[in-house]
Amino acid sequence: PAGTPMQFFRDPGRALQLKSGWYIPTGVSATANTSDCPGAGQCGAIHWFRADNESMTHLNHTGLLYSSKRTTVMECPDVFELDGKIVVLVGADGITQFWVGQMRDDDHKFVPDYKGKLDYGKSGRSIYAAKTGTSALPPFTRRVAFGFSGWSNNVVSRCARWYVLPRELSIS
């Protein structure tokens, strides 16, 4: 978004098709007292960019998807539908966090019903930067998360930057 320093942007996520077109979520570290992060302190945020053409080469910022003071940054956002709900999955502060809820049709803002951690391992050793995928063919009902472990260069953990076994996701 205009006015956000480039160093605060994080990896864009996979495009998601909504009723009004294709949207790409992008993680941001928001500063205090802005529309993304009201009040004191930093927070993490995800912004939408809408593709203006079929090749997705022209993108326009359309606004805020979600922000949270629970973290200072939202990296590698993954937004997808699962079991009739919208899931927002982000790397934040060394762990992968998620929110489950609904997307508002009028402005595409996310309204969470539930939040949690994908992995309760120690920060830097748990699954991080998780990305999900579905079956290659319809009905696309299975959702699997992949990620890596060892965000830090901690030699003691012996698992720095290793991919973890995939996990099948469900809402239950």
Side-chain angles (χ1 to χ4, degrees):
T4 303
M6 288 304 293
Q7 72 265 25
F8 293 133
F9 278 90
R10 296 294 191 238
D11 317 286
R14 176 189 53 248
L16 176 69
Q17 188 173 23
L18 300 174
K19 292 176 187 175
S20 59
W22 286 93
Y23 290 80
I24 297 173
T26 302
V28 176
S29 178
T31 55
N33 296 314
T34 63
S35 59
D36 291 354
C37 189
Q42 264 191 307
C43 61
I46 300 173
H47 281 262
W48 278 129
F49 288 83
R50 185 176 190 274
D52 287 340
N53 59 4
E54 289 186 25
S55 64
M56 294 189 194
T57 56
H58 295 97
L59 303 173
N60 280 314
H61 177 251
T62 60
L64 179 71
L65 165 71
Y66 183 66
S67 68
S68 173
K69 287 196 175 252
R70 185 177 180 189
T71 181
T72 59
V73 65
M74 290 189 176
E75 298 183 294
C76 308
D78 195 4
V79 181
F80 54 91
E81 186 174 345
L82 183 64
D83 299 334
K85 296 276 192 176
I86 297 294
V87 178
V88 174
L89 189 69
V90 298
D93 301 324
I95 57 173
T96 297
Q97 299 180 33
F98 68 88
W99 290 263
V100 177
Q102 302 296 323
M103 186 83 65
R104 294 193 320 215
D105 285 334
D106 59 343
D107 61 2
H108 303 303
K109 287 199 173 151
F110 176 73
V111 180
D113 297 325
Y114 178 80
K115 61 184 175 183
K117 296 178 183 178
L118 186 61
D119 188 346
Y120 280 89
K122 185 177 178 182
S123 179
R125 296 183 190 165
S126 61
I127 188 172
Y128 195 74
K131 291 293 182 189
T132 66
T134 61
S135 313
L137 300 171
F140 309 117
T141 54
R142 186 174 184 218
R143 178 69 62 171
V144 178
F146 295 85
F148 67 92
S149 180
W151 179 242
S152 67
N153 287 325
N154 185 346
V155 177
V156 175
S157 71
R158 301 275 186 232
C159 65
R161 294 185 172 81
W162 290 86
Y163 281 105
V164 296
L165 293 173
R167 299 170 186 194
E168 186 168 355
L169 303 179
S170 65
I171 296 177
S172 54

